Every structure is written in structure tokens, then in C-alpha cells.
């Protein structure tokens, strides 16, 4: 490989990581409250209905949180996803998805929907291994219902988890199998559907129509993927956020306990805030990514 080609590949990698990281950072900052609401619903059990802080809906949850925990509480646990956002996108988009895509071509000249799905699945597995320690800390922070002034810091929570439980499957890597299944199932459908459908729809001449088409495909992909993976998401939240570490052990066992005690619908807790985050979040990601990609391309390639 020539030096010129290596240099151009490095520049493209920097541009994509920079654009993806910036888009992810802005999306996390704006849409984190919906992620927090989703986690609160997933941690809520049926027997807690007598609790004055039991949440009956998204609006009710946000009002109660604002009154008891203060406005900054909507961004509880935001630091871990911000820290991991850029490396996560770099790993998932640049290195893993593209590499797995080449691997799963199965000798074909062009990628098929199966290629995209398999690449997405294994990119999700790789991503989950990277982000799981950050997810454990984030969920622990989000599950805290004290006022922001009384809540422990990200560093304090991380230190407590490591000192008490270490880095293993009871500590910073708690709920790893649930995170792997959640991310793998989501990415498998999302990448498979998004890239396949996008390939069949002709490009629009008007930029705004092209943008709306991408947003629509992305929203449908993400909504269906969320419906498919949310039982694993509920299991993940229960394993990582519950105070009872002996009750929720193992992904399938946790899903069985939730189903048996709270019914089938409990496996879909937090789906509405998750989808509400996904739609606007996906649009924000696309807009910021496109603008940053153009800006960085001019900066590095001119």
C-alpha cells in the first residue's frame, strides 16, 4: 500500500470518527433525559405502585423527577455515555462493521441484506463488550432517586463498584450477556434493514427530500429494532440497576422472572421513551454528522 493511500485512509478515518463522535456527543446531551426515563420505567416493578414515586407515564415521571430530584437530574448518568461515545462510534462504524461486512460477503461481489445483518450483529457484540462497564455505571447513576445535590458522582459510583465487586461479571461487567444480546439484536436488524432499503430507494435530487428519506428509513429501522431488543434491554437494566443482586442473575432467567411476576407487557417497559428518543435522536445524528463530515473534509483534504 502506498504512503499516499495510507495517508488518505487515515484522513478519512479521522473525518468519520470526528463527525460520528461529534454527532453522538450532541445527540446524547439532548436526548439523555428520554434514556433516563426509559431506565426508570424498566427498573419499576408492579409491587411498587403504592410508592408515591411510582411513575404512571412519561409526563408523570418527568414531573415527579423534577419536583423531588431537581432539573439537572434529567442528565443523571450522562458522563459515562459521553466518555465512551467517540470510541464506540469509531469501533462500531469504522473498524468492526466495515470489517465484518467484508468477511460476510461470502464471495459475493456486493453486500446482501444477510451481509449487513451479520455484520451488524457482530459489530453489536464488539460494541457491547466495549461499552458495558460504562453502561453499568450509567444505570447505577440513573437508578438513584435522591436529589442531585445528594447523589454520588460518576467517579464515586465507579470506585464503589470496583472496590466492592471488581471488574468481573458481578462488578463493572455485570449484565454483559444482556448488553451483548441487546446491541447485537438491535444492530443486526438496524444495519440489515437500513442499508438494504436505502439501496433500493433512488437518490433524491432535492437535499431535504434525501434527508427526510434517510430519517424515515432510520426511524423505521430503529423502531422495529427497539421492539425486537427491548426485552434484553429490560433484563440489562434489572441486572445492572437492581439493589437485589441475588434475584436477577442471567439474561434469560431475568426475563423469565420479569414475565412470571409482572406479565408479558413488563418485558416492553420503556419502549415509548426509547422510540421517542430514537426518532429525534436519529435526525440529530444525521444532521450533525453530515455537517461535521463536510466541515472536516474541507479542513483535512483541501
Amino acid at each position: 500500500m502506498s504512503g499516499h493511500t495510507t495517508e488518505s485512509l487515515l484522513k478519512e478515518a479521522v473525518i468519520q470518527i470526528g463527525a460520528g463522535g461529534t454527532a453522538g456527543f450532541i445527540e446524547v446531551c439532548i436526548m439523555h433525559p428520554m434514556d433516563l426515563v426509559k431506565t426508570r420505567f424498566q427498573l419499576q416493578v408492579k409491587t411498587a405502585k403504592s410508592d408515591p414515586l411510582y411513575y404512571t407515564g412519561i409526563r408523570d415521571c418527568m414531573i415527579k423527577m423534577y419536583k423531588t430530584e431537581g432539573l439537572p437530574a434529567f442528565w443523571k448518568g450522562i458522563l459515562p455515555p459521553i466518555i465512551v461515545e467517540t470510541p464506540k462510534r469509531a469501533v462500531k462504524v469504522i473498524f468492526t462493521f466495515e470489517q465484518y461486512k467484508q468477511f460476510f460477503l461470502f464471495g459475493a461481489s456486493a453486500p446482501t441484506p444477510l451481509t449487513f445483518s451479520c455484520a451488524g450483529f457482530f459489530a453489536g457484540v464488539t460494541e457491547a463488550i466495549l461499552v458495558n462497564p460504562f453502561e453499568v455505571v450509567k444505570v447505577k447513576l440513573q437508578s438513584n432517586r435522591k436529589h442531585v445535590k445528594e447523589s454520588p458522582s460518576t467517579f464515586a459510583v465507579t470506585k464503589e463498584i470496583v472496590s466492592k465487586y471488581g471488574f468481573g461479571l458481578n462488578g463493572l461487567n455485570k449484565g454483559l450477556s444482556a448488553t451483548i444480546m441487546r446491541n447485537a439484536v438491535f444492530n443486526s436488524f438496524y444495519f440489515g434493514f437500513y442499508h438494504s432499503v436505502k439501496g433500493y430507494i433512488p437518490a433524491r435530487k432535492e437535499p431535504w427530500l434525501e434527508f427526510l428519506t434517510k430519517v424515515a428509513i432510520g426511524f423505521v429501522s430503529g423502531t422495529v429494532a427497539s421492539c425486537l431488543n427491548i426485552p434484553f434491554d429490560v433484563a440489562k437494566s434489572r441486572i445492572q440497576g437492581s439493589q437485589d443482586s441475588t434475584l436477577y442473575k442471567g439474561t434469560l432467567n431475568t426475563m423469565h422472572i420479569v414475565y412470571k411476576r409482572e406479565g408479558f407487557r413488563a418485558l416492553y417497559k420503556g419502549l415509548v421513551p426509547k422510540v421517542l428518543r430514537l426518532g429525534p435522536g436519529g435526525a440529530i445524528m444525521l444532521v450533525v454528522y453530515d455537517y461535521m463530515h463536510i466541515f472536516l473534509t474541507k479542513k483535512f483534504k483541501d
Side-chain angles (χ1 to χ4, degrees):
M1 188 182 282
S2 68
H4 179 71
T5 309
T6 307
E7 191 184 336
S8 63
L9 283 172
L10 280 170
K11 280 183 178 178
E12 186 55 37
V14 169
I15 289 164
Q16 291 218 34
I17 291 166
T22 305
F25 171 79
I26 292 170
E27 189 269 342
V28 166
C29 291
I30 295 171
M31 301 310 297
H32 188 77
M34 276 296 123
D35 185 69
L36 178 58
V37 171
K38 178 207 76 172
T39 304
R40 289 291 175 94
F41 279 127
Q42 290 176 343
L43 290 171
Q44 193 164 258
V45 294
K46 242 181 181 178
T47 52
K49 280 190 177 177
S50 57
D51 188 340
L53 291 178
Y54 184 87
Y55 309 124
T56 57
I58 294 170
R59 185 170 174 269
D60 180 60
C61 176
M62 295 182 91
I63 289 169
K64 284 175 179 173
M65 274 185 61
Y66 174 72
K67 284 180 178 176
T68 59
E69 300 170 51
L71 184 64
F74 291 112
W75 284 271
K76 275 184 179 179
I78 195 171
L79 195 56
I82 281 178
I83 292 168
V84 80
E85 192 59 38
T86 300
K88 180 181 87 172
R89 298 206 172 274
V91 166
K92 183 164 81 171
V93 179
I94 312 299
F95 303 110
T96 56
F97 180 68
E98 290 303 322
Q99 296 305 314
Y100 286 129
K101 195 170 78 176
Q102 294 304 315
F103 180 79
F104 288 110
L105 276 172
F106 301 120
S109 57
T112 63
L114 181 63
T115 305
F116 291 126
S117 290
C118 290
F121 185 92
F122 285 97
V125 172
T126 311
E127 176 196 25
I129 294 166
L130 171 72
V131 305
N132 193 67
F134 297 90
E135 286 287 318
V136 170
V137 176
K138 183 193 81 169
V139 172
K140 210 72 178 170
L141 287 161
Q142 289 181 334
S143 65
N144 186 297
R145 290 168 121 187
K146 292 178 181 175
H147 195 279
V148 175
K149 290 176 183 176
E150 299 166 17
S151 298
S153 68
T154 303
F155 178 75
V157 168
T158 308
K159 190 180 174 185
E160 184 191 6
I161 293 168
V162 173
S163 62
K164 279 188 180 178
Y165 309 104
F167 294 91
L169 296 176
N170 286 322
L172 270 185
N173 270 299
K174 195 177 185 183
L176 178 61
S177 64
T179 306
I180 286 173
M181 286 311 299
R182 181 193 74 159
N183 290 28
V185 168
F186 184 92
N187 286 325
S188 178
F189 183 86
Y190 186 88
F191 280 113
F193 185 87
Y194 181 80
H195 287 288
S196 301
V197 172
K198 196 177 73 170
Y200 287 111
I201 295 175
R204 311 285 179 143
K205 288 179 182 178
E206 300 90 343
W208 66 273
L209 263 179
E210 182 67 14
F211 168 72
L212 285 178
T213 304
K214 281 184 181 178
V215 170
I217 301 167
F219 184 76
V220 172
S221 306
T223 302
V224 178
S226 295
C227 293
L228 294 173
N229 89 330
I230 199 160
F232 298 107
D233 200 5
V234 171
K236 173 191 159 300
S237 292
R238 291 291 174 96
I239 293 166
Q240 293 176 345
S242 173
Q243 302 304 313
D244 189 350
S245 58
T246 58
L247 177 62
Y248 300 115
K249 277 190 174 288
T251 307
L252 295 177
N253 181 54
T254 299
M255 287 164 69
H256 177 70
I257 290 168
V258 171
Y259 169 73
K260 203 173 177 183
R261 291 186 167 197
E262 301 167 52
F264 182 74
R265 286 179 65 184
L267 291 170
Y268 289 83
K269 279 184 175 180
L271 180 61
V272 175
K274 187 172 183 174
V275 171
L276 284 176
R277 179 200 171 169
L278 193 85
I284 291 164
M285 284 279 293
L286 278 167
V287 172
V288 177
Y289 181 86
D290 281 348
Y291 278 111
M292 278 305 294
H293 197 281
I294 292 163
F295 172 76
L296 291 172
T297 302
K298 284 180 181 175
K299 194 93 173 166
F300 281 96
K301 291 192 173 179
D302 284 356

